[in-house]
Amino acid sequence: MTVTERPGLGLRLLRLLGLPILLILAWWAFSVTSESFYVPTPPRVVQAFAETWFSPRLIDDALPSVARLLAGYALATVLGVGLGVPIGLSVRLRAAAEPVLEFFRAIPPPVLVPLIMLLAGIDNGMKILVIVSGCVWPILLNTVEGVRALDQVLSDTCRMYGVRGRSRLRHLVLRGASPQIMAGLRQALSVGIILMVISEMFASSSGLGFTIVLFQRGFAIPEMWSGILLLGLLGFGLSVIFRWMERRVLSWHWSHRA
Amino acid sequence: MTGSPGTRTVTAGSMTTKGAKAAYGLAGLAGLLALMEAVPRLGIVDERFLPPASEILGALAAELRTAALWTALGETLGGWALGLAIAFVAAVLAGVVIDLVPGLRAASHSTIEFLRPIPSVALIPLATLLFGASLGSTLLLVVYAAFWQVLIQVMYGVADVDTVADDTARSYGLSRWSRIRNVVWPTALPYIMTGLRLAASVAFILAITAELVVGSPGLGLEIQVAQSSGAVATMYGLVVLAGLIGIAVNLAVRVLERRVLAWHPSVRGEVAS
């Protein structure tokens, strides 16, 4: 890994696309030769993808799903960081809250779906609440952990220089804890996607999860695969955006360590 | 908590004894129970939707006396363990093969980075079609979710091998197999254990999810049945049980990690302090 010489464009393209193309070809060969009803050929899936998702469905089903995911995720971030900072700063509060928080984190988030359905009905609010209820724990616990492990020297320096109140919170506490907070946010993102899909599979008349299950029940196999593909692309896209954001937020951190 | 011991010598402050900490923890739990008891009793939330804590725990105790619950529990944990084991073995093998074959690491990077973030719940419809409400569905989801967690860690681990150590082993004429056994494996092991820990909790979530959504037998299905038959207190009780099992799963993997890595400086430091 110490060699910094960049390989040629051809080799890089081969590395990037070689294996994916091979895999798609293998799938193609398999779907053509096998009689299995469940495995459509790649062109059939691409066609179904275009027909299914480049249509009003994109606005009626996909966008609201993503909007709910982002709303729930944002709310969970505010809640998690907002509660995590005071808990992390106070030794007593942390000791009292830790077992409770560990318990809530250990509950598999999907079991909260039927529970929240009961409490909040089956509208938009319920789905957002489900996403919040799953995403908040990793963010909260990582914030607590990050704030707890603040550099003692930095914290003493801040006290010496009389940095307190809001600027202490911003420049010392949140900054110092941000690598941990980002780690929590990353975990929360994958939990959030899971919950977005499941909450719609449970009780819904729209959304990505609902539509995919609808296709599956109607044995619209290529359409179902196109839905799986769309969810995959969504997961991939969100993780790319997240990594880009993380690099921006933590640029000071990496440069500091390098 | 996770924690990096050794750095926490100063932060203890007024919380000197372990006893005080445990007392606070118990107080926190008691507070939660009191709150859960008071909110429905005072009518802030309808008792039909949120039964008091005593009723929830009572329902859980009643459930624990039925054979059906233990069967379901066995099924959930069986699916979890089997799926985790398959994913673990497959990921370790894949990681080692990717490391051994020259050029494969660079060639597989794009594929792995694309497949890894795909939420495994996207496979639920496929699992339903292929396996229906059975163990197969659970395994498909659990294996897919857990595989990537372990694989990534294995790949980090084998890349972390100290070149000096590797060169030394080479110049002493150690065979390839012996190098894997004595140089690569100990280096990668802490990473692999981290992967296993992450995979264990993800696998548990997905096992429950498969039961809840697809309807494979297990604890998730019991929760689903309790919900649709209006047994609210039982449903809450089972959710509490799921949380307790989640904690047990985390603890078990942590104990395993500690035993396997007893020789590793990070664990030895922890014991010494």
Side-chain angles (χ1 to χ4, degrees):
Chain A
M1 277 296 162
T2 48
V3 187
T4 47
E5 168 193 345
R6 260 174 104 82
L9 184 68
L11 185 61
R12 264 187 292 153
L13 269 181
L14 186 71
R15 281 178 179 170
L16 192 67
L17 299 174
L19 190 60
I21 288 175
L22 270 182
L23 287 176
I24 291 172
L25 286 179
W27 176 16
W28 202 327
F30 178 74
S31 60
V32 169
T33 50
S34 96
E35 292 294 298
S36 175
F37 173 63
Y38 298 133
V39 189
T41 57
R44 185 71 192 84
V45 172
V46 171
Q47 188 199 349
F49 189 90
E51 279 168 8
T52 311
W53 300 110
F54 296 131
S55 71
R57 228 183 260 284
L58 188 70
I59 294 163
D60 294 339
D61 287 315
L63 281 185
S65 291
V66 177
R68 283 193 289 260
L69 171 64
L70 293 181
Y73 189 62
L75 252 165
T77 308
V78 172
L79 259 177
V81 176
L83 290 174
V85 168
I87 294 177
L89 286 175
S90 152
V91 183
R92 288 205 173 81
L93 204 54
R94 197 168 68 230
E98 223 158 50
V100 175
L101 296 182
E102 285 292 331
F103 171 71
F104 276 111
R105 187 193 26 195
I107 296 179
V111 304
L112 297 172
V113 178
L115 208 144
I116 291 173
M117 238 165 76
L118 198 69
L119 283 171
I122 53 169
D123 54 358
N124 264 333
M126 163 274 199
K127 285 175 204 131
I128 294 176
L129 202 60
V130 164
I131 294 171
V132 172
S133 69
C135 289
V136 76
W137 308 111
I139 303 176
L140 179 56
L141 281 155
N142 275 290
T143 308
V144 169
E145 193 61 16
V147 171
R148 180 186 73 73
L150 280 180
D151 189 345
Q152 197 67 36
V153 176
L154 281 181
S155 155
D156 289 345
T157 314
C158 272
R159 193 170 309 134
M160 288 299 297
Y161 280 95
V163 179
R164 58 172 81 82
R166 191 176 276 231
S167 65
R168 178 169 186 273
L169 181 70
R170 210 179 123 202
H171 295 293
L172 172 70
V173 178
L174 288 181
R175 250 295 146 94
S178 61
Q180 276 272 327
I181 295 177
M182 289 312 278
L185 283 174
R186 188 204 315 245
Q187 282 177 33
L189 185 62
S190 47
V191 172
I193 298 176
I194 292 181
L195 289 174
M196 174 195 90
V197 177
I198 293 182
S199 68
E200 292 165 358
M201 283 181 173
F202 244 83
S204 186
S205 53
S206 71
L208 277 174
F210 168 77
T211 315
I212 295 174
V213 168
L214 193 69
F215 288 144
Q216 173 242 317
R217 292 199 179 132
F219 287 95
I221 305 297
E223 284 77 7
M224 179 194 90
W225 274 103
S226 81
I228 294 179
L229 190 65
L230 183 69
L231 275 181
L233 287 173
L234 181 70
F236 178 70
L238 286 175
S239 89
V240 168
I241 296 174
F242 185 85
R243 231 175 307 156
W244 174 77
M245 258 179 47
E246 185 181 47
R247 211 167 301 151
R248 287 195 55 156
V249 172
L250 298 184
S251 56
W252 63 274
H253 182 61
W254 305 128
S255 60
H256 186 69
R257 299 187 95 190
Chain B
M1 278 308 302
T2 47
S4 46
T7 57
R8 72 193 303 181
T9 42
V10 202
T11 50
S14 60
M15 198 74 61
T16 39
T17 58
K18 269 197 166 167
K21 199 172 175 213
Y24 273 105
L26 283 177
L29 283 175
L32 176 72
L33 283 176
L35 186 72
M36 292 283 289
E37 185 75 30
V39 165
R41 293 258 186 240
L42 294 175
I44 300 171
V45 176
D46 195 322
E47 228 172 280
R48 277 176 304 163
F49 301 136
L50 179 66
S54 55
E55 251 175 66
I56 294 176
L57 294 179
L60 177 58
E63 276 296 304
L64 284 174
R65 281 196 292 274
T66 63
L69 180 85
W70 292 99
T71 319
L73 210 57
E75 251 149 346
T76 300
L77 290 178
W80 168 78
L82 189 57
L84 187 61
I86 295 174
F88 181 76
V89 172
V92 170
L93 285 180
V96 171
V97 167
I98 288 175
D99 186 57
L100 285 182
V101 179
L104 192 56
R105 177 183 268 271
S108 61
H109 185 258
S110 62
T111 310
I112 291 176
E113 284 306 305
F114 179 74
L115 289 178
R116 185 165 67 111
I118 293 181
S120 54
V121 286
L123 300 177
I124 285 178
L126 189 66
T128 315
L129 280 184
L130 291 180
F131 301 106
S134 69
L135 182 64
S137 293
T138 311
L139 287 182
L140 178 66
L141 297 184
V142 169
V143 170
Y144 189 86
F147 177 77
W148 302 109
Q149 303 278 355
V150 182
L151 179 66
I152 294 298
Q153 292 293 330
V154 174
M155 289 178 63
Y156 281 138
V158 293
D160 191 40
V161 169
D162 186 1
T163 34
V164 175
D166 197 39
D167 289 346
T168 312
R170 236 177 252 268
S171 53
Y172 274 94
L174 265 67
S175 69
R176 180 167 229 186
W177 167 245
S178 173
R179 281 210 310 278
I180 291 181
R181 172 80 192 73
N182 296 308
V183 181
V184 178
W185 180 249
T187 310
L189 199 56
Y191 290 89
I192 294 176
M193 291 313 290
T194 305
L196 182 66
R197 200 177 64 217
L198 295 173
S201 54
V202 169
F204 182 60
I205 293 176
L206 265 300
I208 294 273
T209 305
E211 294 157 8
L212 200 62
V213 181
V214 185
S216 317
L219 191 59
L221 182 63
E222 298 291 312
I223 292 175
Q224 156 78 44
V225 168
Q227 189 241 347
S228 51
S229 59
V232 177
T234 308
M235 181 185 83
Y236 276 92
L238 292 174
V239 169
V240 170
L241 182 62
L244 294 177
I245 296 172
I247 292 179
V249 162
N250 288 344
L251 282 180
V253 181
R254 236 165 251 271
V255 169
L256 180 72
E257 189 175 14
R258 215 170 261 241
R259 299 201 100 180
V260 173
L261 295 179
W263 52 273
H264 196 266
S266 71
V267 175
R268 273 165 51 195
E270 202 167 333
V271 174
S273 66

